[in-house]
Amino acid sequence: YIMIGDKPDLQNLASNMAESMSLRDVQYLNTVGDKVQFLGLVVEKILGGFAVSVSQALVKEIVEDAGVASCRRMAAVPGAKERIIDETMLDATTHRYYRVQVGRLLYLVAWRADLQFTVGQLSRKVGAPTVGDGAPLKKCIRYLRKATRHWIWGQRLGWHGGSPLREWRSAC
């Protein structure tokens, strides 16, 4: 659980919850800069609220499984913008890979509005993906590799990249 409030109230609530369920590793974010990792998310205390971001380990795992971790940007090749239309069904191994990657991306997009539409379109094909559906998945993962710093602000709920502390100080 993530609970926000005064520390004495939270301690009381945590002790009451501990009676009915087993709580472990209760952490309090008191000062600016305190961080905690929770279910693949990083919650950081900032001035005026909290910043929630996806753990870089999850992003790194998605990118490495796709094999695009060390790709360099290439010059445009003729026909690169053409859409691949191949309605051949994927074999069982590639279909499993597609399902796993889209599942990871679905978990990630709750915190990344820039990927929500694309991952939603990819998830529509999970039941029966084709060879042509692999290209948009790879393109989405390549974008994720480049654009890794996006947060939701705990109080303002605005999207920002870069350092949350620097952005917050410049906004005040």
Side-chain angles (χ1 to χ4, degrees), residues 42-106:
V42 177
V43 181
E44 180 179 2
K45 173 81 169 155
I46 59 172
L47 293 173
F50 297 88
V52 178
S53 64
V54 177
S55 167
Q56 292 303 312
L58 176 62
V59 173
K60 184 178 178 183
E61 186 177 333
I62 292 170
V63 170
E64 286 178 353
D65 282 354
V68 296
S70 62
C71 291
R72 286 182 279 147
R73 191 172 188 174
M74 295 176 50
V77 260
K81 299 256 182 204
E82 294 175 13
R83 188 171 171 202
I84 299 172
I85 301 175
D86 187 353
E87 297 300 321
T88 308
M89 300 299 284
L90 294 177
D91 60 74
T93 306
T94 313
H95 184 193
R96 182 183 184 290
Y97 165 78
Y98 186 90
R99 283 193 329 259
V100 167
Q101 290 292 69
V102 171
R104 288 174 175 166
L105 289 170
L106 282 169

Side-chain angles (χ1 to χ4, degrees), residues 93-144:
T93 306
T94 313
H95 184 193
R96 182 183 184 290
Y97 165 78
Y98 186 90
R99 283 193 329 259
V100 167
Q101 290 292 69
V102 171
R104 288 174 175 166
L105 289 170
L106 282 169
Y107 180 76
L108 186 127
V109 298
W111 307 100
R112 295 286 303 264
D114 56 333
L115 294 171
Q116 287 177 348
F117 178 78
T118 302
V119 174
Q121 294 298 315
L122 292 171
S123 68
R124 295 174 69 187
K125 305 286 186 156
V126 167
T130 62
V131 173
D133 297 327
L137 175 64
K138 195 91 134 172
K139 189 173 186 178
C140 179
I141 293 172
R142 272 194 226 109
Y143 170 78
L144 180 64

